[in-house]
Amino acid sequence: KTFFWGFFLIGLSYVIPLIYTPFEVSGIMVSMMGFIYFAVYLFYSNTIKGNIDYLFKILLIVNLLLTAQVGLYLYRGYLLNPQLDVYHRIYAGWGRNLGWANINDMCFYIALTFPSYLYFIFKKPQTYLLWFLMLLPTAVVILSKSRGGIIGYAVVLLGVMLFFFFRGNKKHLFHGLIFLAISAFIAYQVREVFYIWWDFFMETFSDNLNEFSSGRIDIYTFGLDIFKQYPLFGGGWMSINLYPNGNLFGNRIFMYHSTFIQALAAMGLFGLIALLIHYFQIAKYVFKHPTLEKFLFLIGYLASQAHGLIDNVQYAVPYSVLIVIILAVFETSEKQTSFESKNYRYHFIETN
């Protein structure tokens, strides 16, 4: 199996610290998640017959659902703040927790699934509904005021734009330029939204990097201290609860708000190596026999990983499950692509 060793070693890195860290029931449950992901991968990679086209339909629907949920978050804030002007009302929100995820989480899931729009645009570039649907997730991420979300979303937008201009054919580029011109006009008309976002960003800016990062620098420093105590296999998943100032997130999250700090602190050098092997297997799979579909997945994946430099992404449960399923579908699909590359430009393969 293509991704066997990456998932297996990550699962192993989850449980090894249980051997020498204090016993906690919740620690066992969290630590077993790595092998659960591995088991799910083995099950799906051995039992399903993947369909990549159907996968991208699901990813598009997921993106629209996530966008709608954030839109509801914004709408509730709009209703609760009638004293504000219209622009500030849509920025208000009503807290940052949407139940199964907070607003930062929603943004990186939106970024992960965003390239699915481009898949269908490459199939039918003349369908402008697909083009303008992309404005919806873009709008809600901006209006969410998530600074981390903007980082990941900026990466996915840049990746999608570069891929489109360098790998799209003349038909794609023609319709794309029309879309960009109309989008630029709309953005100019609502430019007040961007001014307010910038003012918000400047208000949160501080000479104190730890304060600006919402306490993350202290968490990273503590994580590295845990790594120094347990350099080979880490201090385990519950080590974050030893944070001297208490868990800043009310014991809701057992993570260090950075993929690499999490790997080092909780799973040590072994966990970091396991993660790097997982990354290598994904890169090898994408570039060994590159297709449009693989590149679009990679763009979303890299964008979410960019967000993961400052937040809980790689090891978040919904994210891990999504990646397992996506990779299993890719790996087991008989039809690997619906496009052909001519002179480095992708063309949809028409079928009767």
Side-chain angles (χ1 to χ4, degrees):
K1 296 300 179 181
T2 306
F3 308 104
F4 179 94
W5 284 110
F7 283 126
F8 173 74
L9 291 174
I10 287 176
L12 190 61
S13 69
Y14 269 53
V15 300
I16 289 178
L18 290 175
I19 298 173
Y20 53 84
T21 54
F23 174 80
E24 294 185 62
V25 173
S26 56
I28 294 177
M29 300 301 295
V30 175
S31 299
M32 289 305 298
M33 291 306 300
F35 273 126
I36 291 175
Y37 303 143
F38 176 60
V40 172
Y41 166 70
L42 287 181
F43 175 78
Y44 279 122
S45 62
N46 283 286
T47 59
I48 67 170
K49 183 181 292 185
N51 184 318
I52 293 176
D53 183 72
Y54 185 73
L55 171 66
F56 274 92
K57 291 177 182 177
I58 296 299
L59 293 177
L60 179 60
I61 292 172
V62 168
N63 187 277
L64 290 171
L65 287 174
L66 295 173
T67 298
Q69 188 173 10
V70 179
L72 177 62
Y73 160 91
L74 298 170
Y75 178 65
R76 287 289 301 275
Y78 182 88
L79 293 179
L80 292 172
N81 294 275
Q83 75 281 6
L84 302 176
D85 64 77
V86 62
Y87 289 114
H88 285 86
R89 286 181 74 181
I90 60 177
Y91 265 116
W94 95 94
R96 300 182 64 81
N97 194 327
L98 286 82
W100 68 278
N102 66 25
I103 197 66
N104 291 333
D105 302 332
M106 298 295 285
C107 289
F108 69 71
Y109 289 118
I110 289 175
L112 174 67
T113 56
F114 182 79
S116 58
Y117 291 95
L118 204 59
Y119 173 79
F120 293 102
I121 286 172
F122 265 71
K123 292 178 72 172
K124 295 182 178 181
Q126 70 278 10
T127 306
Y128 279 94
L129 175 62
L130 291 169
W131 292 91
F132 286 101
L133 280 176
M134 290 195 297
L135 296 180
L136 297 178
T138 303
V140 300
V141 169
I142 293 172
L143 295 174
S144 73
K145 297 192 296 187
S146 169
R147 295 174 300 171
I150 286 292
I151 293 174
Y153 204 74
V155 172
V156 79
L157 281 180
L158 179 62
V160 163
M161 291 173 62
L162 290 175
F163 184 82
F164 178 81
F165 283 110
F166 285 105
R167 304 308 297 270
N169 59 45
K170 290 182 179 179
K171 186 187 298 185
H172 300 133
L173 294 174
F174 172 76
H175 292 287
L177 289 174
I178 294 175
F179 168 71
L180 284 177
I182 297 174
S183 299
F185 175 77
I186 295 173
Y188 179 76
Q189 296 300 315
V190 297
R191 57 191 180 278
E192 185 66 24
V193 168
F194 302 102
Y195 296 151
I196 294 174
W197 191 94
W198 181 253
D199 289 341
F200 162 75
F201 175 78
M202 294 306 295
E203 288 174 3
T204 63
F205 190 79
S206 171
D207 292 335
N208 186 323
L209 187 57
N210 184 60
E211 181 180 320
F212 176 68
S213 65
S214 303
R216 280 171 169 77
I217 301 303
D218 280 351
I219 295 175
Y220 299 160
T221 301
F222 175 72
L224 292 175
D225 288 340
I226 294 292
F227 166 65
K228 292 174 184 177
Q229 296 177 46
Y230 306 96
L232 292 181
F233 300 107
W237 278 83
M238 304 303 290
S239 59
I240 185 65
N241 289 343
L242 299 175
Y243 186 68
N245 296 323
N247 191 322
L248 298 180
F249 305 94
N251 292 319
R252 183 181 67 84
I253 296 175
F254 303 94
M255 296 189 186
Y256 288 87
H257 282 258
S258 170
T259 297
F260 295 109
I261 299 296
Q262 177 69 35
L264 289 172
M267 297 164 280
L269 288 174
F270 183 81
L272 179 62
I273 292 171
L275 177 63
L276 294 177
I277 290 174
H278 176 63
Y279 286 160
F280 173 77
Q281 289 186 321
I282 291 177
K284 181 181 178 181
Y285 175 75
V286 170
F287 291 105
K288 186 176 182 179
H289 299 291
T291 65
L292 176 141
E293 291 87 343
K294 291 179 182 178
F295 280 134
L296 293 183
F297 161 70
L298 184 64
I299 291 170
Y301 185 70
L302 290 177
S304 60
Q305 292 293 318
H307 189 152
L309 295 174
I310 59 167
D311 221 329
N312 305 323
V313 176
Q314 173 66 32
Y315 299 108
V317 174
Y319 184 87
S320 296
V321 172
L322 270 175
I323 296 303
V324 166
I325 294 175
I326 290 171
L327 293 178
V329 171
F330 265 100
E331 185 180 7
T332 59
S333 180
E334 292 182 358
K335 184 179 180 180
Q336 284 291 304
T337 185
S338 298
F339 300 85
E340 59 181 348
S341 180
K342 297 178 181 178
N343 298 320
Y344 300 102
R345 303 285 179 175
Y346 280 109
H347 298 261
F348 179 55
I349 302 173
E350 300 285 351
T351 57
N352 296 324

